[in-house]
Amino acid sequence: NTDPVPRFPELLHQILKDTEADGDEAKIISWLPCGRRFKIHQPKAFAKKIMPRYFRHGKYKSFLRQLSLYEFRRGGWGKTPGPKGSYEHPYFVKDRLDMADLVLRVKNRSTSKSAWTLVKRDGETA
């Protein structure tokens, strides 16, 4: 098989699409109604039932590390808006797989410009 391995953001889009289609699995992970955030409702079930189908491991902490490396923000902590346990990225939007190419992995946090600094409050790029 010579198909390229999907990048993490594309894979995450696929997970959310597949679980939404399943119905029961949407109780484990799903998009929130706004379409700009997703939530992992049942982390243990996500690691056990869903992650092994898409990743070579079922380590939830490793998944969270990937979210961090791609600059996803976790909602409901401190001053970050959104429901607790939800995640968002300015370029990760439901039904907009074309924008996933803009979700980049941070190589060096001290020298990299954050995707969040490139987006104005109204959602337009700077």
Side-chain angles (χ1 to χ4, degrees):
N1 189 1
T2 60
D3 291 339
V5 176
R7 292 174 53 247
F8 180 77
E10 286 90 359
L11 203 54
L12 185 52
H13 259 285
Q14 190 63 50
I15 291 169
L16 287 158
K17 182 179 177 183
D18 293 348
T19 57
E20 185 175 53
D22 180 272
D24 280 342
E25 289 185 344
K27 296 173 187 168
I28 298 172
I29 181 174
S30 68
W31 286 104
L32 293 180
C34 65
R36 298 193 68 82
R37 294 176 180 275
F38 70 93
K39 183 172 181 179
I40 302 169
H41 308 281
Q42 300 174 31
K44 289 180 182 176
F46 177 72
K48 186 176 181 179
K49 294 174 85 175
I50 295 172
M51 285 183 61
R53 293 199 313 251
Y54 299 91
F55 304 102
R56 288 176 284 184
H57 60 78
K59 296 179 182 168
Y60 187 65
K61 283 188 178 187
S62 180
F63 178 81
L64 295 180
R65 194 173 312 114
Q66 287 295 311
L67 289 175
S68 178
L69 288 170
Y70 281 92
E71 293 191 289
F72 281 82
R73 285 192 180 167
R74 183 171 62 168
W77 296 93
K79 294 182 180 179
T80 308
K84 193 172 184 178
S86 68
Y87 294 88
E88 70 172 325
H89 187 284
Y91 301 120
F92 191 78
V93 181
K94 184 178 181 178
D95 299 324
R96 291 297 310 270
L97 184 58
D98 59 305
M99 291 177 65
D101 286 342
L102 299 172
V103 181
L104 303 175
R105 186 174 175 152
V106 177
K107 291 180 173 67
N108 183 342
R109 287 187 188 271
S110 62
T111 60
S112 296
K113 267 201 169 180
S114 170
W116 292 94
T117 62
L118 301 174
V119 177
K120 294 180 184 176
R121 288 211 182 266
D122 62 0
E124 306 247 338
T125 54

